[in-house]
Amino acid sequence: MFSSGGPPEDVEGTKMYLYISWLYADIFLNDNATLLSKVTNASTVANFFRIWRSKLRLEKCVQKSMLSHEALEDILLSCHAVVMYIMVIRDSCPGHPVELGLTGTDCCESYFSENGSFVMNRHVYS
């Protein structure tokens, strides 16, 4: 497959990106992880993407990035939201389980999709 027996050296960035993506998914999907590891993962992910964005800005190649500015902002905001959510649960109701897999907008999107028929579309398109 590879002439030297291993992958070429230029895949190290891809391996790091996949590892960071795995850490990000692990924050929300791993029910066995401790809250400390979730906070640590959120910090690692946020710092990785901050450094990435800074590097892109320094090299003036932001337009060539595979992730949009909005996607990077969403990742950073969700990492901060995880840490803040854990802190709120810790301070307000310490006995309550922290279920990060249930956070997100799916419940809102489902609700509005089910109730979207309340508004009638009166536009006529030709």
Side-chain angles (χ1 to χ4, degrees):
M1 187 153 99
F2 298 110
S3 60
S4 63
E9 292 180 21
D10 60 349
V11 299
E12 292 300 317
T14 303
K15 287 170 43 179
M16 178 57 76
Y17 177 79
L18 292 173
Y19 174 69
I20 294 296
S21 298
W22 176 78
L23 285 179
Y24 183 71
D26 194 58
I27 294 169
F28 299 98
L29 302 176
N30 187 356
D31 294 332
N32 297 324
T34 64
L35 295 180
L36 178 61
S37 69
K38 289 178 184 275
V39 170
T40 303
N41 288 352
S43 174
T44 303
V45 170
N47 286 316
F48 174 83
F49 283 110
R50 277 195 192 111
I51 292 168
W52 184 358
R53 185 170 53 185
S54 295
K55 182 180 183 318
L56 291 174
R57 284 183 180 161
L58 286 174
E59 294 179 356
K60 298 189 184 346
C61 60
V62 176
Q63 291 81 8
K64 297 177 185 176
S65 175
M66 67 180 192
L67 291 178
S68 67
H69 173 74
E70 291 78 14
L72 288 171
E73 286 297 318
D74 190 42
I75 291 168
L76 293 175
L77 287 172
S78 64
C79 288
H80 286 278
V82 163
V83 175
M84 292 174 61
Y85 181 70
I86 290 172
M87 290 171 57
V88 165
I89 296 295
R90 178 199 64 193
D91 295 342
S92 300
C93 44
H96 192 274
V98 178
E99 298 175 353
L100 293 172
L102 299 178
T103 60
T105 60
D106 286 342
C107 59
C108 293
E109 289 179 21
S110 297
Y111 175 79
F112 286 114
S113 293
E114 290 171 4
N115 296 306
S117 61
F118 291 151
V119 178
M120 196 170 231
N121 185 357
R122 299 198 189 278
H123 296 288
V124 177
Y125 301 101
S126 50

